[in-house]
Amino acid sequence: MTAPPDDCLARNEWICGEYLSTRREILLDAVGQHLQLTALSVLIGLAVAVPLAVLARRWALTAGPVLAVTTVLYTIPSLAMFSLLLPVYGLSAALVVAGLVLYSLTLLVRNLLAGLRAVPEETRQAARGMGYGPIRLLLTVELPLALPAAMAGLRIATVSAVSLATVGAIVGFGGLGNLIYAGMNTYFKAQVLTASVLCVVIAVAADLLLLGVQWLITPWTRAKRG
Amino acid sequence: MKTLTDAWDWLTAHWAGDDGIWHRLTQHLVLTVVCLVISCLIALPVGLVLGHLGKGGALAVNISNVGRAVPTFAVLVLLLLTPIGKWGEGPTVVALVLFAVPPLLTNAYVGMREVDRDVVRAARGMGMTGRQMLWRVEVPLATPMILNGVRIAAVQLVATATIAALAGGGGLGRIITAGFNLASTPQVVAGAVLVAVFALLVEGLFETAERLAPKRGSR
């Protein structure tokens, strides 16, 4: 009979270097799943939000319903949202992605629409006067000018998605949320704290990354100051 | 379609008892209301005073962004594993308040700062004291924005109270988690519908209140 090792794992401490070294693979897998879930859902959300915002901008009649539906979706608590999608997707990663897409839609559509609406009428008229058709106007004038507002929405949507993905643990696809859920049931403090901190780190890193991207793709916003 | 009718059957048959809908609904409502009151008592005085003095803006605005990056579920579980976890609903209440304070604080602060500076200067010129300006000029004009913060906080509270069920808390979320444990899709869907309807009702209630509020402000 050997005595149990007297390390921080055995003592169930909050901060534990031993945990990091022995559970590295589990942590990396969870981080990978977390990143996949968030990135996929934000990208799909963006792909759906852009046409919706353009539609709402072009035909004022559609703006009301589009905003109303996305607001209703945003009001539904995440746990209920994932549960409502259960009959459609079953216990799968697709369920979590679909739920996160619906959340990011609200933030993205609202910010995109605000950005498009903020494009000055003079700018639009100038482009039309230069012979721009509606599609060229949209792609080369309106959408670029809406970028700062859209990027602000994208940053909020991404940070929210990182944090909401943890609730996916209810169906077993929550990335780091899975570790938190498992850690809760086994009273494993180091695992819960490490996974929670990693979640916040991912959210902050994603936010900074998008801020950098915004800096790169909107050179005109800093030309004024320089 | 089958799932929907099964969920309807579940909904109509499970109102009584400790795990029944009535009990869970009351728990959810009490949790939300109590925590909303506590959060308002903490956040509004701070937000109003900071807004009145025009100080601490960076804190008041950024606290919302920080709140968004921290997963609700993680905070709930972390609190559950601390000594607070032993007080029954303690972790849930603390987590709910933690997540309701940022939107309240930010909106109160921004609402106060967005009051027309000319109006504030006119009030000062009329010889109003700081306290009179706060209660008679700034707060009435900032009311729509403050109420908007209360609405966001209330919706956030309903959502957080639902997630609390994952960490053993009470409320409507419990119906959903129990449904998952029993692998009963109808129960999960029924619980989700209840939570969604509850959240939308809260949102609708505040939307109505917001529509009525400006009439008092611009009397």
Side-chain angles (χ1 to χ4, degrees):
Chain A
M1 208 43 198
T2 50
D6 184 38
D7 56 10
C8 54
L9 280 176
R11 288 194 301 271
N12 196 16
E13 286 172 4
W14 284 106
I15 299 166
C16 182
E18 200 79 356
Y19 173 74
L20 286 179
S21 52
T22 55
R23 309 290 208 281
R24 175 174 297 163
E25 302 234 319
I26 303 175
L27 278 170
L28 284 179
D29 282 352
V31 169
Q33 191 186 61
H34 210 103
L35 290 177
Q36 274 179 9
L37 289 171
T38 353
L40 199 59
S41 50
V42 171
L43 287 177
I44 296 175
L46 198 60
V48 181
V50 172
L52 274 180
V54 169
L55 189 79
R57 171 78 189 119
R58 200 54 27 113
W59 289 284
L61 267 182
T62 56
V66 165
L67 284 178
V69 169
T70 51
T71 307
V72 165
L73 288 175
Y74 197 67
T75 308
I76 298 174
S78 49
L79 188 62
M81 181 76 95
F82 291 145
S83 307
L84 283 173
L85 294 169
L86 182 67
V88 188
Y89 292 99
L91 296 171
S92 66
L95 177 143
V96 179
V97 171
L100 294 177
V101 166
L102 293 177
Y103 279 115
S104 58
L105 265 188
T106 316
L107 297 162
L108 292 171
V109 169
R110 249 186 233 169
N111 278 271
L112 267 167
L113 194 58
L116 287 174
R117 280 178 173 163
V119 175
E121 189 53 39
E122 291 87 350
T123 313
R124 242 190 292 270
Q125 279 169 2
R128 264 191 225 110
M130 286 169 72
Y132 278 45
I135 293 181
R136 200 159 150 231
L137 177 73
L138 178 73
L139 292 179
T140 61
V141 178
E142 291 180 303
L143 281 180
L145 284 177
L147 265 181
M151 286 302 289
L154 188 63
R155 283 171 59 200
I156 301 178
T158 309
V159 170
S160 309
V162 171
S163 125
L164 282 175
T166 53
V167 180
I170 185 85
V171 291
F173 293 89
L176 291 161
N178 290 343
L179 294 185
I180 300 177
Y181 200 42
M184 177 185 80
N185 291 331
T186 52
Y187 223 76
F188 194 168
K189 290 178 178 171
Q191 175 157 308
V192 173
L193 186 65
T194 311
S196 309
V197 169
L198 279 174
C199 265
V200 177
V201 170
I202 292 177
V204 173
D207 197 40
L208 290 177
L209 182 76
L210 287 172
L211 197 64
V213 170
Q214 183 179 356
W215 191 81
L216 283 177
I217 62 175
T218 56
W220 62 89
T221 52
R222 41 182 206 277
K224 269 181 273 176
R225 269 178 271 148
Chain B
M1 251 352 260
K2 179 86 169 66
T3 322
L4 283 184
T5 48
D6 285 351
W8 178 252
D9 289 343
W10 195 94
L11 264 183
T12 46
H14 294 78
W15 285 85
D18 260 7
D19 291 327
I21 297 171
W22 274 127
H23 184 227
R24 295 300 179 201
L25 191 68
T26 323
Q27 273 183 331
H28 211 101
L29 193 66
V30 169
L31 259 180
T32 313
V33 172
V34 169
C35 292
L36 187 63
V37 171
I38 298 176
S39 316
C40 284
L41 287 177
I42 296 173
L44 291 185
V46 177
L48 293 181
V49 169
L50 286 182
H52 175 69
L53 300 173
K55 285 182 183 144
L59 170 90
V61 173
N62 285 321
I63 195 170
S64 274
N65 298 333
V66 175
R68 203 176 286 120
V70 180
T72 323
F73 178 47
V75 171
L76 275 161
V77 175
L78 282 173
L79 286 169
L80 189 73
L81 297 189
T82 62
I84 302 174
K86 297 195 183 82
W87 313 337
E89 295 285 348
T92 313
V93 172
V94 174
L96 285 162
V97 171
L98 277 180
F99 280 96
V101 162
L104 285 168
L105 191 60
T106 305
N107 275 271
Y109 179 84
V110 173
M112 292 291 281
R113 294 315 291 164
E114 277 183 357
V115 172
D116 194 340
R117 288 298 105 191
D118 288 345
V119 176
V120 176
R121 274 194 287 267
R124 194 187 297 278
M126 284 167 69
M128 280 193 180
T129 62
R131 194 176 292 250
Q132 285 173 325
M133 272 161 54
L134 177 73
W135 288 115
R136 299 203 192 154
V137 180
E138 291 176 307
V139 170
L141 287 174
T143 300
M145 193 77 181
I146 298 171
L147 271 179
N148 190 37
V150 178
R151 177 178 62 95
I152 298 173
V155 171
Q156 172 81 51
L157 280 171
V158 174
T160 313
T162 315
I163 297 177
L166 274 180
L172 287 172
R174 213 41 188 275
I175 298 175
I176 299 178
T177 49
F180 270 107
N181 289 337
L182 298 168
S184 156
T185 307
Q187 181 174 343
V188 169
V189 174
V193 169
L194 285 169
V195 171
V197 169
F198 187 77
L200 289 172
L201 280 179
V202 170
E203 165 102 6
L205 192 75
F206 278 98
E207 208 137 287
T208 320
E210 264 176 74
R211 285 220 182 117
L212 298 175
K215 281 179 199 152
R216 283 195 296 128
S218 62
R219 185 170 33 168

